[in-house]
Amino acid sequence: MESSSAKKNTVSEFSYMVQRQGSDDSAEVNAFDDINSLMKREPGGSKPAEPTLSSLPQASFNYINSIVGSGVIGIPYALHRAGFGLGLFVLVIVATITDYSLILMVRCGHLSGRFSYPGVMEAAYGKGGYYLLSLLQFMYPFLAMISYNVVVGDTLSKVLVRLVPSWGSSMGAVRFGVVLVVTVFVVIPLCLYKNVSRLAKASFLSLACVVLILMAVVYRLLSGDYSVVPDTPESWRFAHSDLIPAVGIMAFAFMCHHNTFLVYQSMQDATMERWERVTHISVGFAWLVAALFGIAGYCTFRALSQGDLLENYCWDDDLMNFARVLFSVSILLTFPIECFVSREIVRTQLKRFYSHEVIEYDTDKDPSHVTGEDDDRQSMVTTLVIVFAAFVISPYTECLGPVLELNGLLAAIPLAYILPGLAYIQLSPHSLFSQEKLPAVGLVLFGTVVTISGAAILMPNLIGDCRTGIIMGYCKDDELALNGTSLVAATTLGPNCATDKM
């Protein structure tokens, strides 16, 4: 049995290496999950850029860069929803099962011979699996774009009111104006920018911004500047009833499955053993960052923690205003990548629908560098429609927490846990209740239960009575009392957002 298993692994790895040598992303249109499919050619070059393989540390860094993002800002709120003790325990569980699911995806790639997420799902479940994945892969970045609008509106409006205090009397208008200006003058030009590779490489700057924000959050905790934040009966509760929504936020923070095969194929001497090491290192570091954000943020504001942690800090806190600007920069660098993925999914599905067959891109043609006038026009129209739709929907919620919960429960958890588990169950030759498949079955059951129960809990109270544009009670100060801006006592929390009520 061991000899047969070893032979199968050798054959699958050989087939992978042949495929890898032939094409950097399997030359499949359904590899749009990998950002690599959007940037095969260097700008101005007539030949595809030669792929540069990365060492194990480099691959780990690339994967960390893919995992750590804007989702960590909601971890203190997740700890509030789940309870501080139980929340930290669940954060470890979510990191562990995410680690397992990432390894499982690459195993599915070897079993199917298709080294892209859509390719794996199509090999396992045919067109049905492909289209289900396409829907979820569109939903995830689109909801992320909405959350980015919420964050940018919340964070930059506070900075502007600090600079122009008289604007504090109309925070709703300021917030809407910020999102409108940023969408028109920053987001749309970046999303229409054809040099995708430069934007993707700028994600390192996004990671650097997140690390600097973490340092600011930890410094504010250690400095004791917010020691005046009052305790409430909910402050140090070990467990809370809102565990399921908290899992959704945590899953969103660890979501990186759409870049799994991109990182794997970029590795030197890519094997399952080396991939497991990269995954353990990357997820472990991402958990450390998320845990530090969660602990530092929660210990500072406890039961008053909001979906966007930066909303908790006083408006005259210049260090945190700088952190707000950094976070907005990080968001704006990530926004176009999410838009590119959404756009390519829409364009791919339209081509499939009208041609009634699988569309394959030319391996020597970068789909982001369109050559035809019709393709150029279609790409521009699709981009504008997606960006405008995200802009129109974003004002319907003023708080980040519900958006993170919704995206985590309806998109991130199915993408991260349910579909990889189902793919492995279908592709693996072992029996359903074998030792090899039982963990995958558990992964599917976990994801299904959390998604269904979470949606049932979240949907009726999605909008709720959440508000922003108010100053927390512990921030009361003559300098902060800005022309009628609401001052609130930090006492009672709403069901969907930790923003205080009057």
Side-chain angles (χ1 to χ4, degrees):
M1 292 297 293
E2 293 182 2
S3 176
S4 176
S5 176
K7 186 178 295 184
K8 287 181 179 179
N9 290 336
T10 302
V11 171
S12 62
E13 295 216 1
F14 173 75
S15 64
Y16 160 67
M17 292 305 296
V18 171
Q19 184 180 24
R20 180 177 174 180
Q21 291 172 1
S23 173
D24 194 38
D25 63 355
S26 304
E28 295 172 346
V29 64
N30 57 13
F32 51 67
D33 55 316
D34 294 341
I35 301 301
N36 193 43
S37 65
L38 300 177
M39 54 175 191
K40 294 173 191 160
R41 180 178 298 175
E42 291 295 328
S46 59
K47 296 182 180 180
E50 290 295 328
T52 302
L53 300 183
S54 55
S55 64
L56 193 146
Q58 290 171 331
S60 299
F61 177 80
N62 291 336
Y63 217 18
I64 291 169
N65 195 21
S66 173
I67 300 172
V68 177
S70 60
V72 295
I73 209 75
I75 297 298
Y77 177 63
L79 296 183
H80 159 63
R81 295 279 269 173
F84 184 62
L86 181 60
L88 288 176
F89 175 74
V90 172
L91 187 65
V92 174
I93 298 299
V94 170
T96 302
I97 62 176
T98 299
D99 181 275
Y100 171 70
S101 68
L102 293 172
I103 294 172
L104 202 64
M105 285 185 65
V106 175
R107 288 179 183 168
C108 290
H110 283 286
L111 289 170
S112 65
R114 306 284 290 275
F115 285 84
S116 72
Y117 198 170
V120 166
M121 287 303 299
E122 191 163 31
Y125 293 101
K127 290 184 178 180
Y130 174 84
Y131 287 121
L132 174 60
L133 179 68
S134 300
L135 174 63
L136 292 173
Q137 285 201 308
F138 173 81
M139 184 187 303
Y140 175 79
F142 183 73
L143 288 175
M145 290 163 63
I146 295 174
S147 71
Y148 295 163
N149 283 336
V150 173
V151 169
V152 169
D154 288 343
T155 55
L156 290 186
S157 61
K158 306 300 185 299
V159 177
L160 288 176
V161 169
R162 172 62 172 162
L163 298 175
V164 187
S166 61
W167 289 2
S169 58
S170 54
M171 282 300 298
V174 173
R175 182 177 180 272
F176 180 83
V178 166
V179 178
L180 177 62
V181 170
V182 168
T183 298
V184 173
F185 295 102
V186 180
V187 170
I188 290 179
L190 286 177
C191 290
L192 292 176
Y193 187 50
K194 294 182 180 180
N195 192 350
V196 184
S197 59
R198 290 184 180 178
L199 292 175
K201 293 173 183 177
S203 60
F204 168 75
L205 180 58
S206 177
L207 175 62
C209 290
V210 171
V211 173
L212 289 174
I213 294 168
L214 173 59
M215 294 172 63
V217 169
V218 173
Y219 175 77
R220 276 291 177 253
L221 171 64
L222 298 178
S223 68
D225 292 338
Y226 287 86
S227 59
V228 296
V229 175
D231 275 318
T232 72
E234 305 290 325
S235 289
W236 296 106
R237 179 174 290 187
F238 178 83
H240 206 278
S241 58
D242 296 329
L243 175 63
I244 299 299
V247 174
I249 296 175
M250 295 175 186
F252 178 83
F254 282 97
M255 178 64 191
C256 60
H257 294 62
H258 50 299
N259 285 327
T260 297
F261 291 106
L262 169 62
V263 178
Y264 181 64
Q265 292 187 102
S266 72
M267 291 174 56
Q268 294 175 353
D269 304 321
T271 62
M272 282 304 305
E273 181 181 358
R274 288 172 61 83
W275 174 246
E276 289 179 8
R277 291 176 61 190
V278 166
T279 303
H280 296 333
I281 293 171
S282 304
V283 174
F285 184 85
W287 174 85
L288 179 62
V289 173
L292 288 175
F293 256 108
I295 294 172
Y298 188 86
C299 288
T300 304
F301 301 106
R302 299 175 289 283
L304 304 180
S305 300
Q306 300 196 43
D308 178 357
L309 177 63
L310 297 180
E311 282 286 289
N312 279 107
Y313 293 94
C314 299
W315 298 6
D316 66 341
D317 188 335
D318 291 330
L319 173 63
M320 300 317 296
N321 280 332
F322 178 66
R324 289 181 173 113
V325 174
L326 287 179
F327 194 48
S328 297
V329 170
S330 174
I331 290 297
L332 294 176
L333 290 174
T334 308
F335 196 111
I337 301 299
E338 306 290 2
C339 183
F340 293 148
V341 174
S342 299
R343 182 191 68 199
E344 291 306 308
I345 293 171
V346 171
R347 293 179 63 194
T348 299
Q349 300 314 313
L350 288 175
K351 289 184 178 182
R352 269 199 165 200
F353 177 78
Y354 286 114
S355 65
H356 302 288
E357 62 183 9
V358 177
I359 303 299
E360 293 190 0
Y361 288 132
D362 184 350
T363 58
D364 292 330
K365 180 181 179 181
D366 185 345
S368 67
H369 292 264
V370 290
T371 56
E373 184 177 347
D374 292 338
D375 286 341
D376 200 7
R377 186 181 299 109
Q378 182 191 59
S379 176
M380 181 181 69
V381 171
T382 304
T383 301
L384 291 176
V385 168
I386 291 172
V387 172
F388 180 74
F391 169 75
V392 169
I393 295 173
S394 58
Y396 284 94
T397 178
E398 292 188 2
C399 288
L400 182 62
V403 182
L404 294 181
E405 293 169 357
L406 183 68
N407 203 356
L409 292 170
L410 300 186
I413 288 178
L415 284 171
Y417 309 139
I418 300 177
L419 296 189
L422 287 175
Y424 185 76
I425 291 171
Q426 180 70 13
L427 294 171
S428 176
H430 301 286
S431 63
L432 182 62
F433 298 103
S434 64
Q435 184 178 358
E436 289 78 11
K437 276 191 178 180
L438 274 179
V441 173
L443 189 68
V444 173
L445 290 177
F446 170 81
T448 303
V449 169
V450 171
T451 296
I452 295 175
S453 58
I457 295 171
L458 184 63
M459 286 302 184
N461 303 306
L462 183 59
I463 297 178
D465 58 359
C466 183
R467 295 176 300 155
T468 58
I470 56 179
I471 300 174
M472 306 296 286
Y474 51 78
C475 291
K476 287 183 178 180
D477 187 278
D478 290 339
E479 184 180 359
L480 282 174
L482 303 171
N483 298 325
T485 302
S486 300
L487 289 169
V488 299
T491 54
T492 308
L493 301 178
N496 287 327
C497 181
T499 302
D500 304 329
K501 297 180 181 178
M502 295 293 291

